[in-house]
Amino acid sequence: MHDDDTEERRGPAVADHTLRAQGVRLGYGGREIVSGLDLSVPPGRITVVVGPNACGKSTLLRAMARLLAPSEGAVLLDGRSIQEMPTKEVAAVLGILPQSPSAPEGITVSDLVGRGRYPHQGWFRRWSPEDDHAVAQALLSTGTLDLADRPVDELSGGQRQRVWIAMALAQRTDILLLDEPTTFLDASHQLDVLDLLTDLNHEHGVTMVAVLHDLNLACRYADHMVAMKDGRIVAEGRPSDIVTESLVSEVFGMRCSVLEDPASATPMVVPLGRHHVKRASARPAS
């Protein structure tokens, strides 16, 4: 995808909310994982965070969702410290799909997805047709409508993942954070989910921040890519501007060739292992 066409692709309803990490230090049990990091999320765009395991991607996302308090610095939502905002106020603007969500035992799919409507329920506001519509639309969009009456704990891993995505969609927030949304999904369903999230971005201007392991899918779907290593940002920008053989080597420690993806005209990373590198001596004589 070319960023020259981004304004046209995003549609008219670009979200106005801003999300920014400012000098955040993050860790667990005295062990620092993210060190003094700054990141401004482009509003109305799809930002994808990539990097090797344990580099701080998920830790950063948890902090931006107010699930982890920085030991230093701040995460700012619309210029306000997210840690100081009421939970319901944050949840009405920002939705999160964590890496390993857990559902109450015995809860059905429709009830779980319905919990995404919680931020919209005030003290005197009861369940409404608007809530019904939001839940039904989220189930339909994720292909889980036929699972509505099934207990979540009876579903396969891929089915559960789609149900959790449905719950996040039912929340109908202007900012959506997703930690490995394609986990447990086969290749076809990975594309379905990422296409669905892209539709949501293009049609409603929802700001997305997703952690992905698949570098080529990240290149295809990201308007803005953030490459992390050892708790810091190594590079950020359009995939076509930052994804190079030297960057992949620096971040992932992997030899590769970077070509143009014939389907999307975005960078395509081809890993070079020791046993599958084409050698000039192996080519047949002409």
Side-chain angles (χ1 to χ4, degrees), residues 90-114:
V90 173
V93 175
L94 188 151
I96 174 72
L97 176 66
Q99 193 172 72
S100 301
S102 59
E105 186 175 353
I107 193 171
T108 64
V109 167
S110 59
D111 286 342
L112 180 65
V113 175

Side-chain angles (χ1 to χ4, degrees), residues 66 77 86-96 111-128 130-131 134-135 166-176:
R66 213 187 73 155
L77 177 60
T87 299
K88 210 161 188 176
E89 185 178 348
V90 173
V93 175
L94 188 151
I96 174 72
D111 286 342
L112 180 65
V113 175
R115 293 193 174 197
R117 301 301 297 164
Y118 163 76
H120 305 280
Q121 307 296 318
W123 284 108
F124 303 105
R125 182 186 180 280
R126 297 186 177 182
W127 191 266
S128 70
E130 181 184 352
D131 296 316
V135 170
M167 191 186 86
L169 296 184
Q171 195 171 332
R172 290 194 172 177
T173 56
D174 287 334
I175 301 174
L176 191 54

Side-chain angles (χ1 to χ4, degrees), residues 150 152-162 184:
R150 297 263 307 271
V152 174
D153 49 19
E154 292 182 4
L155 304 181
S156 69
Q159 289 172 325
R160 288 187 195 187
Q161 190 70 359
R162 284 187 286 150
F184 304 119

Side-chain angles (χ1 to χ4, degrees), residues 198-266:
T198 302
D199 289 341
L200 195 64
N201 169 261
H202 291 180
E203 294 168 12
H204 301 288
V206 176
T207 299
M208 304 271 184
V209 183
V211 170
L212 291 180
H213 272 301
D214 189 310
L215 191 51
N216 287 327
L217 287 180
C219 288
R220 276 193 181 188
Y221 287 92
D223 297 316
H224 187 78
M225 179 179 284
V226 177
M228 290 185 64
K229 181 182 180 183
D230 297 333
R232 61 186 180 90
I233 294 175
V234 176
E236 63 175 306
R238 297 182 303 178
S240 58
D241 290 338
I242 69 168
V243 177
T244 62
E245 294 168 7
S246 61
L247 178 76
V248 175
S249 175
E250 178 183 359
V251 172
F252 294 94
M254 179 178 71
R255 294 171 57 233
C256 72
S257 290
V258 175
L259 313 174
E260 183 179 278
D261 188 323
S264 59
T266 53

Side-chain angles (χ1 to χ4, degrees), residues 69-86:
S71 58
E72 188 176 304
V75 173
L76 305 176
L77 177 60
D78 296 335
R80 299 165 60 193
S81 171
I82 201 169
Q83 291 292 328
E84 298 173 1
M85 296 174 66

